[in-house]
Structure formats: C-alpha cells, structure tokens
C-alpha cells in the first residue's frame, strides 16, 4: 500500500471551498424562499388578526389603529371600530410560563364594557394555566366594567389567571386613555 502525500491544497483548501459554495447556494435558496413566502405570511397574519378583532367586537364594521401615549406596557395595539362600536386591545403579558408568554385580545364596547376576550397564544402549563383559554374562564369577563366584579381566578391555576385578569385591567386603563384621545 502506498501512502499518498499530504497536500495543503487537497486536505484543507478544497473542503473549505466546497463547504463555502454549499453554504452560499443554500443561503441563496433560503433568501429566495423567504422573499417568495413573506407577503403570503404577512397577508395571512393580517387576515387572522382582523378575524380575531371581529370575533371579540362583532358589531364593528372595520378597524383603525389608534396611536396613543401612556398606554400600559401590556397593551401592544389598540384598534377603534370605524362605526363607533368600541375598541379592541391587543395584549402581551407575562404568564406563569414566563415573560410575555400570553397574547390576548379584548373587545370593549363604546361604553367601556367588555364584549369578549380571547387568548391568541400562550405558554401556560397544559391542564392548569391553559384553563385561561377555556370558555368557562373567558366568559366571566363578558359584560363586565372596570370593577371586574365577580371575576374569579382558577383554582390550581391562580397565577396564570391572575396574570390574565391584570392584563384585562390594563385594557380599562388603556380605554380611558384612548377614549380621551378620540
């Protein structure tokens, strides 16, 4: 058996060049795919968000984004129904799952009474904190004013439900701010 002579060119440079070319080709393919799918993903997200707003404030015909200073930290966006039916609040709050792990949406009528609330996404414990997504918990907010009288936490998921309730309280603070700005 003859031993071939080691060469810097064949042992080191060639594999590096091959891997570099592979990385460039794959990166270009990923960039092309991203450019192709980004508008589709953006449109789907916009449509799903619009559907969620209509779901929590069904009397609204369409929405306009409200710009206001001094909103609570948990309120990420506020939308006003163009026909005056009320407001929709997009919420990102802490949960038992960690910082910013619950995304909620809350619709209020023009008088500051909750029409509906919904969990868009969460990282809460399955079977415990995830109970905040169930109708039994969410439905207790419907028809409530800022006092949230009668709203109760979930036994066994007290922390998650407290985070949820506090986020809804922030909606009332935001409502006062955007109502004044209107």
């Amino acid at each position: 058996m003859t031993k071939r002579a080691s060469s810097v060119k064949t042992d080191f440079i060639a594999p590096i060049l091959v891997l570099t070319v592979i990385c460039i080709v794959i990166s270009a393919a990923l960039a092309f795919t991203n450019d192709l799918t980004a508008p589709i993903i953006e449109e789907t997200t916009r449509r799903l968000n619009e559907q969620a707003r209509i779901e929590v404030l069904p009397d609204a015909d369409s929405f306009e984004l409200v710009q206001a200073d001094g909103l609570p930290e948990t309120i990420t966006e506020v939308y006003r129904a163009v026909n005056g039916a009320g407001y929709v609040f997009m919420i990102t709050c802490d949960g038992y799952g960690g910082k910013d792990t619950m995304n909620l949406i809350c619709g209020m009528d023009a008088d500051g009474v909750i029409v509906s609330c919904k969990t868009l996404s969460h990282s809460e414990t399955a079977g415990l904190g995830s109970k905040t997504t169930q109708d039994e918990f969410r439905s207790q907010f419907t028809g409530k004013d800022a006092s949230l009288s009668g709203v109760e936490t979930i036994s066994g998921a007290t922390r998650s439900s407290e985070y949820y309730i506090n986020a809804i309280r922030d909606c009332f603070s935001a409502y006062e701010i955007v109502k004044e700005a209107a």
Side-chain angles (χ1 to χ4, degrees):
M1 211 186 242
T2 60
K3 192 173 188 182
R4 103 176 151 82
S6 178
S7 157
V8 170
K9 184 177 178 182
T10 58
D11 289 348
F12 296 104
I13 296 175
I16 290 172
L17 287 175
V18 168
L19 288 174
T20 302
V21 168
I22 290 171
C23 288
I24 290 170
V25 169
I26 295 300
S27 295
L30 286 172
F32 175 74
T33 303
N34 184 54
D35 285 345
L36 196 64
T37 59
I40 297 167
I41 292 169
E42 186 177 311
E43 176 59 23
T44 301
T45 301
R46 186 200 61 73
R47 195 175 67 248
L48 289 173
N49 286 337
E50 184 74 16
Q51 287 174 346
R53 288 190 288 271
I54 290 291
E55 188 176 336
V56 296
L57 194 61
D59 291 341
D61 54 357
S62 62
F63 297 93
E64 61 185 8
L65 183 64
V66 176
Q67 300 294 333
D69 293 327
L71 293 174
E73 186 177 309
T74 57
I75 307 300
T76 57
E77 294 177 327
V78 179
Y79 291 88
R80 177 185 305 118
V82 173
N83 66 353
Y87 298 89
V88 173
F89 302 91
M90 306 299 287
I91 309 157
T92 299
C93 65
D94 296 347
Y96 190 70
K99 182 160 179 56
D100 296 339
T101 56
M102 290 199 306
N103 292 304
L104 316 173
I105 186 170
C106 180
M108 277 187 205
D109 67 17
D111 297 323
V113 175
I114 295 176
V115 175
S116 182
C117 297
K118 180 180 178 180
T119 303
L120 299 174
S121 66
H122 70 89
S123 299
E124 301 304 288
T125 307
L128 293 173
S130 65
K131 290 181 180 180
T132 59
T133 65
Q134 297 174 352
D135 284 340
E136 185 179 329
F137 178 73
R138 292 183 315 114
S139 65
Q140 67 180 336
F141 292 94
T142 302
K144 299 295 182 192
D145 60 13
S147 70
L148 291 179
S149 172
V151 172
E152 297 179 3
T153 59
I154 299 170
S155 178
T158 306
R159 299 272 308 259
S160 296
S161 52
E162 284 176 348
Y163 285 122
Y164 194 107
I165 291 168
N166 288 334
I168 300 303
R169 284 190 206 292
D170 286 346
C171 291
F172 287 103
S173 298
Y175 169 78
E176 292 300 324
I177 292 169
V178 296
K179 181 180 75 169
E180 297 299 320

